[in-house]
Every structure is written in structure tokens, then in C-alpha cells.
Amino acid sequence: MKTLLLLLLIISSILVYAEFTGSIEDRSPEIDLNLTVLDASVVAEADSLALLGDVAVIDKSNEGKYSRPASTGSSLLVVRDPMTGKYGTSDGGIIIRTRESESLSAIAADYGLDLKHEFSALPMGVLMPKNISAAASVLTTLRADSRILSADLDVNFYDARAN
């Protein structure tokens, strides 16, 4: 419960800050479909743009040089924070906050999305597109829906070491 309260406080603080600094959309992480992540232990340092934990961000044009284990990064999008330049990853999940009376399941059904998680105490949840490469266009569409107060890509940022 404390974690949920802390999450709500953080999200509220971000939204208040955003009101004074411009729209959230202008500062949202940008998906770069030309980049991918691979296990850092197999990637040459010259090809690594950044390290994110135990994976390396590389240009997709260099991907053919390396064998990709089935479980490493194959279903992750690479994103970049336009304000800090930091890289992050996303599984394509979209965190949305709805108006109190709206059904998250109904919204998911309307857009052909899967409901990954629904918060019990808040009108919020995480929706997943069937194809993660469509996350950016789905995000734009969700933001235009009057039933939705906010929609943001679910991104994990790391302490990255840029080469």
C-alpha cells in the first residue's frame, strides 16, 4: 500500500511539474526503431552506444554481427529521453490513467489491447499492444481519447555509460 501511495505521489508531482514546463508529449521518451539491445557480454565496445544493466544498445545495422539468445532483448523497444539523452527500454506497455467512471477493460477492448495490469486503488493500469512496434501510434491515439487523463510509455531507465 505504501508503494502504491508513493507511486501516486510521484505521478502527481510529475503531472504538476509538467503543467509548468510544457506538455508531457513534448518530453516523452522517443522510441528509436533503428536501435536494439543485446547481451552486453557479446557486443564489441565499438558497437555499443550505451550499457543498460547487462544489455548494450546497438544500431540494428550491426545486429547481424552477433548471435542473439532467444531471451535477450528481443521484445524490447529502445527509447531515449529527449531531455537527458539517457537510453531506456520498454516492453511496449502503456500506463494510462482513466477518468473515475471509465472501464480500463472497455478501453483495452476498444483498441485491441491486452490489459497487463490494473491498479486496485486507482483508475490506472498498463495496456499492451499486440505488436510492440505499434506502441508509439497507439500511445498517440490513447492520448486523444477523452476517457483517458494520461497515457505514457512504460519505460525503464538505467544508469547508462555512454561510449
Side-chain angles (χ1 to χ4, degrees):
M1 183 66 177
K2 287 182 181 181
T3 304
L4 189 57
L5 217 43
L6 181 60
L7 177 64
L8 179 61
L9 179 62
I10 290 170
I11 291 171
S12 297
S13 298
I14 290 170
L15 292 173
V16 167
Y17 177 76
E19 289 293 321
F20 295 104
T21 60
S23 75
I24 290 175
E25 290 81 7
D26 294 341
R27 295 181 324 279
S28 294
E30 299 167 354
I31 299 169
D32 191 332
L33 296 175
N34 296 315
L35 301 177
T36 189
V37 290
L38 291 174
D39 187 327
S41 66
V42 300
V43 174
E45 193 171 328
D47 291 335
S48 177
L49 301 173
L51 293 176
L52 307 179
D54 59 355
V55 297
V57 176
I58 66 167
D59 192 286
K60 279 190 178 177
S61 65
N62 293 325
E63 186 176 19
K65 297 180 185 179
Y66 306 101
S67 63
R68 178 193 286 271
S71 64
T72 306
S74 58
S75 61
L76 293 176
L77 295 170
V78 176
V79 299
R80 192 153 196 187
D81 184 315
M83 294 184 75
T84 65
K86 283 188 173 185
Y87 289 101
T89 59
S90 175
D91 63 358
I94 300 170
I95 302 170
I96 70 164
R97 181 171 183 203
T98 64
R99 298 191 183 282
E100 287 290 335
S101 62
E102 299 299 336
S103 164
L104 198 56
S105 299
I107 293 170
D110 288 350
Y111 292 100
L113 304 171
D114 294 327
L115 179 57
K116 181 178 178 183
H117 179 76
E118 186 168 3
F119 295 98
S120 59
L122 300 169
M124 292 179 68
V126 180
L127 302 180
M128 292 291 295
K130 306 272 188 234
N131 177 357
I132 69 167
S133 61
S137 62
V138 170
L139 185 58
T140 301
T141 304
L142 288 172
R143 285 179 173 158
D145 190 317
S146 63
R147 300 173 293 175
I148 298 172
L149 296 173
S150 66
D152 295 293
L153 192 61
D154 187 7
V155 177
N156 292 311
F157 285 102
Y158 306 79
D159 288 331
R161 177 181 59 85
N163 289 334

